[in-house]
Amino acid sequence: TNLAPIILKNEFIQRTLVVESQRVLVPEKWRYTAVMMNDNEGNDWRLVNNNEGQVKFRLNNMVVDTSQSSNVIGQYPSEFDEMVSYYNTWWNSVSTRDDYISPIFVGGKEDTVVL
């Protein structure tokens, strides 16, 4: 894939990304989460919930508010709803195996055990 048109902004690609920092044994919905979305009007939206134990959102337009000082959920309810909906769909698709704990293997058959 040629990324040059994307990097040079000659070609618009609308996308939404989810970033989480769970750091718990069993993942929790909306725990330390950011949803980032660009739109075809040149806005870069960021929806953040970083409050442990409660859902408290901040919506920022990163194009006009790079310091993320203004929570604009009230002014942009459709963007907020779209991002929450995206996250909920994403969460449902990735959290089906939250009860599975991946084993961690140390060493192998060829290794000598040393205590």
Side-chain angles (χ1 to χ4, degrees):
T1 302
N2 182 2
L3 297 177
I6 298 167
I7 294 169
L8 298 173
K9 303 260 183 188
N10 292 335
E11 181 179 320
F12 175 78
I13 295 177
Q14 195 281 331
R15 65 182 184 161
T16 304
L17 303 173
V18 175
V19 179
E20 291 188 313
S21 178
Q22 290 283 339
R23 299 182 188 208
V24 292
L25 185 60
V26 179
E28 301 167 15
K29 190 173 185 179
W30 286 112
R31 178 183 167 88
Y32 298 106
T33 301
V35 180
M36 295 164 280
M37 175 184 81
N38 62 348
D39 64 25
N40 58 4
E41 297 174 8
N43 297 301
D44 289 326
W45 300 101
R46 181 175 172 162
L47 179 66
V48 177
N49 177 58
N50 58 5
N51 294 299
E52 188 174 344
Q54 61 179 336
V55 176
K56 186 174 182 183
F57 294 111
R58 290 189 54 82
L59 178 64
N60 302 102
N61 183 337
M62 301 301 292
V63 172
V64 297
D65 183 19
T66 57
S67 65
Q68 302 176 55
S69 59
S70 299
N71 187 354
V72 296
I73 287 176
Q75 293 95 327
Y76 299 95
S78 63
E79 285 80 358
F80 172 74
D81 291 344
E82 182 179 350
M83 294 173 83
V84 168
S85 176
Y86 183 92
Y87 176 83
N88 287 332
T89 300
W90 174 85
W91 176 264
N92 291 336
S93 73
V94 300
S95 64
T96 58
R97 299 279 321 258
D98 282 350
D99 59 336
Y100 178 76
I101 299 173
S102 299
I104 299 173
F105 299 99
V106 178
K109 292 179 184 178
E110 311 80 30
D111 295 332
T112 304
V113 176
V114 179
L115 300 176

